[in-house]
Amino acid sequence: MMKKYRLFPTICFVAALLLSACSQDELAEQGTALPEGEYPLQIGGVSITAEVSEQPWTRMTESTDGQSSVWTGGEQIGVRIGDSEETGIYQINVDDAGNVTVTPITPVYWTNTQPATVTAWYPATDGTVYLNSQDDNGLAYVLRGTTTGDPQTPVTLSLTHQLAKVRVITRGTADVSGFGIFAPHNCYVEEGEIISTPSSSTDRIPMRQSAYEDIGTCWEANAAPGELPRYEVHCRNGYSGVYDLPSLMTLETGKLHTITLTLNRKGTIDLSQRTETYTIATDGDYYFNGTGSYGIRVTGGNPNIYLGDAHISVTSGNAIHIEGGNATIHLLGENSVTSSNGAGIYVAEGNTVTITGNGRSDVLTAQGGNGGSGIGGNHATCGNIEISNMTVYAHGSDENGDFLSAGIGGSGDNGCGTITIDNATIFAYGASDGWAGNMSTPGIGGGLYGNDKGTYSIITIKNNSQVSVQRGSEWSDYIGSGGSRNSPANSPNGIHAEVNETSTITKLN
């Protein structure tokens, strides 16, 4: 398990309010009393700035990449000038274009021309901040900041986080459905300062599931500073319970604490310990993780194969070879299947391989070699390919410059069954015959042997799929047929597939 600590950046507020014109006589002498209610605090605009690569943060929320925070509008901050007992409330507004402004709900006013400390905080009102429903209601936040200002100059308020943030990233074959940390359920806050927290060792905060492009699926919660001894995990495939952290973690104000856990279901096969190909001949659930140089072979049944951060790289044959039954490959985390002399995943004629994940943060990289496809064929007719709810990087290959495969699909002049892409993100790369570029295969579809094109059945892309394809050269389709200078493919626009209106195709070359 790895622990990482990063400072949360400050969140800065700069917002525009109308200022009654001050006469130079009233403001000329420092310390001069000002008329009551005449000179409101100026907050000169509103922005959120990031000082480091990761920052938290209900109305406040995290950006889609997990690297910054944004306001959603409707948040209210409290403000006080100096030691005054008067406090103001200001509301954050965000328009459709993302522009942020501030509206005074209860403004505060300068009472004299003397510079003073300006304090701001969130939430705007004192009371209990509840931390035990973040899985349903979003992350909880406590912010506070001070600066020095005067009646003549708009102030910039920088607020920093008073809670600690915990992010849990899981690896392995355990299919996590829920996570919790043992920390106080709530804290009492005055003007953005945590005054007290309950001292129960049995309090549990359910964590919120999030997914970010560069982080993947993770679990997050904000908690009061203090000790974090244990966590609780629930899994869909039987791995549940309460566990101590290997060493006691102390949560610190304003810091992001990242915990990476490898959670494997009991009976998971460690590929790094294999000394031969693992053969599956019957129905059942089979779990794999680790990095190994021996593949998986399916000779019968309809097995479920779970890859949890598994990496297979073979020098001969196919990394995963399906020649009997209809296998379903379930992805958990980031996985790869590579062959330098075969297909990443090979499915024989008459069989179907289904490859699926829990979401697009589950990733498979499939690399073929010496004429083998990333997913599909290897010097023989291949069966049906179904891909859903995940992200795939698939690369075709060539043998001796005249026997080429698609990234997803056929190999050489052999046939390929149906290819279905459902609610998935795909990057598929065809092959060419090297520097000459006289022969080419598509990212998805049929292979090529000389001037002979491999055949394929129906290619379907549906349900919000995002497909990016690169063909080997201009002679082939992007999706469809391979082609050569003497026998080019001729599909309109280089796309020969059934693509529904919710899906997109991007040509990479």
Side-chain angles (χ1 to χ4, degrees):
M1 180 188 71
M2 295 187 299
K3 304 177 191 175
K4 299 179 182 177
Y5 307 89
R6 293 185 183 168
L7 286 175
F8 289 151
T10 59
I11 295 185
C12 299
F13 304 88
V14 191
L17 301 177
L18 294 176
L19 173 67
S20 301
C22 299
S23 73
Q24 293 302 313
D25 290 341
E26 289 172 327
L27 298 177
E29 184 177 347
Q30 191 174 78
T32 301
L34 295 172
E36 183 177 349
E38 291 289 328
Y39 301 103
L41 172 71
Q42 297 179 80
I43 308 176
V46 149
S47 64
I48 299 176
T49 60
E51 296 177 353
V52 294
S53 61
E54 286 185 323
Q55 110 179 32
W57 4 9
T58 211
R59 310 279 308 221
M60 205 178 318
T61 188
E62 304 218 39
S63 64
T64 56
D65 61 3
Q67 305 301 311
S68 61
S69 304
V70 295
W71 297 102
T72 60
E75 301 89 351
Q76 294 184 352
I77 60 172
V79 180
R80 176 168 47 81
I81 300 175
D83 296 327
S84 172
E85 296 182 358
E86 300 294 326
T87 60
I89 296 178
Y90 295 78
Q91 179 169 302
I92 307 295
N93 308 302
V94 182
D95 64 20
D96 293 340
N99 299 312
V100 181
T101 57
V102 167
T103 300
I105 305 301
T106 306
V108 288
Y109 298 86
W110 294 96
T111 59
N112 61 62
T113 58
Q114 183 74 31
T117 298
V118 179
T119 305
W121 59 88
Y122 176 89
T125 55
D126 296 343
T128 300
V129 175
Y130 294 95
L131 307 173
N132 60 338
S133 298
Q134 298 181 62
D135 54 337
D136 295 325
N137 299 333
L139 300 183
Y141 306 95
V142 179
L143 309 170
R144 178 181 170 85
T146 60
T147 191
T148 300
D150 60 61
Q152 300 183 74
T153 308
V155 298
T156 298
L157 302 172
S158 297
L159 276 68
T160 59
H161 293 274
Q162 304 303 299
L163 295 172
K165 184 174 183 181
V166 181
R167 174 179 289 164
V168 177
I169 300 172
T170 60
R171 299 286 183 256
T173 59
D175 190 1
V176 178
S177 59
F179 229 102
I181 55 174
F182 285 83
H185 279 172
N186 59 68
C187 58
Y188 187 79
V189 174
E190 292 181 358
E191 293 190 356
E193 290 186 296
I194 299 174
I195 304 301
S196 63
T197 58
S199 57
S200 171
S201 61
T202 60
D203 284 354
R204 172 182 168 276
I205 300 176
M207 304 185 81
R208 182 175 181 84
Q209 184 175 3
S210 303
Y212 304 114
E213 182 177 349
D214 295 329
I215 300 171
T217 299
C218 59
W219 305 84
E220 298 178 319
N222 296 333
E227 293 184 346
L228 178 65
R230 296 184 303 283
Y231 65 89
E232 182 180 47
V233 60
H234 294 277
C235 299
R236 298 180 183 89
N237 51 8
Y239 188 116
S240 300
V242 176
Y243 302 90
D244 291 334
L245 289 170
S247 60
L248 188 68
M249 175 177 283
T250 300
L251 303 182
E252 300 180 49
T253 299
K255 286 189 177 180
L256 168 64
H257 302 256
T258 299
I259 304 170
T260 300
L261 297 171
T262 298
L263 305 175
N264 289 318
R265 180 184 170 94
K266 185 178 180 179
T268 295
I269 298 160
D270 185 351
L271 292 166
S272 68
Q273 301 301 309
R274 297 295 301 169
T275 58
E276 61 182 3
T277 298
Y278 189 92
T279 300
I280 299 172
T282 62
D283 295 352
D285 296 334
Y286 302 84
Y287 297 84
F288 299 87
N289 79 323
T291 300
S293 56
Y294 292 89
I296 300 169
R297 189 179 190 94
V298 178
T299 61
N302 299 303
N304 289 295
I305 299 171
Y306 292 83
L307 301 180
D309 292 292
H311 304 277
I312 303 172
S313 180
V314 299
T315 57
S316 179
N318 308 306
I320 296 180
H321 181 104
I322 301 168
E323 61 180 356
N326 300 306
T328 299
I329 300 173
H330 303 266
L331 298 180
L332 304 168
E334 295 190 6
N335 304 271
S336 63
V337 286
T338 301
S339 174
S340 57
N341 189 23
I345 297 176
Y346 168 75
V347 54
E349 183 179 10
N351 300 123
T352 297
V353 61
T354 301
I355 310 170
T356 188
N358 292 322
R360 301 194 192 196
S361 60
D362 292 324
V363 179
L364 175 68
T365 298
Q367 174 71 64
N370 206 26
S373 300
I375 302 172
N378 178 23
H379 291 75
T381 297
C382 67
N384 303 316
I385 302 166
E386 298 178 358
I387 299 171
S388 66
N389 205 33
M390 56 178 288
T391 296
V392 172
Y393 297 85
H395 302 260
S397 64
D398 76 282
E399 178 188 30
N400 299 323
D402 62 356
F403 191 100
L404 285 67
S405 65
I408 300 174
S411 170
D413 56 348
N414 302 291
C416 175
T418 61
I419 301 172
T420 303
I421 296 170
D422 182 0
N423 189 35
T425 297
I426 305 293
F427 295 86
Y429 304 87
S432 71
D433 60 336
W435 65 271
N438 291 323
M439 292 182 292
S440 171
T441 52
I444 303 171
L448 184 74
Y449 179 32
N451 293 318
D452 298 326
K453 302 171 186 176
T455 60
Y456 57 91
S457 189
I458 298 172
I459 301 173
T460 303
I461 300 171
K462 61 183 181 179
N463 192 16
N464 296 299
S465 291
Q466 299 171 351
V467 178
S468 298
V469 281
Q470 179 174 303
R471 59 185 179 179
S473 72
E474 62 185 300
W475 307 113
S476 69
D477 293 328
Y478 290 92
I479 300 176
S481 293
S484 66
R485 183 183 297 272
N486 296 325
S487 181
N490 55 11
S491 298
N493 301 316
I495 305 294
H496 187 246
E498 296 180 359
V499 183
N500 80 338
E501 60 184 10
T502 66
S503 299
T504 60
I505 306 294
T506 301
K507 300 174 182 178
L508 297 179
N509 62 347

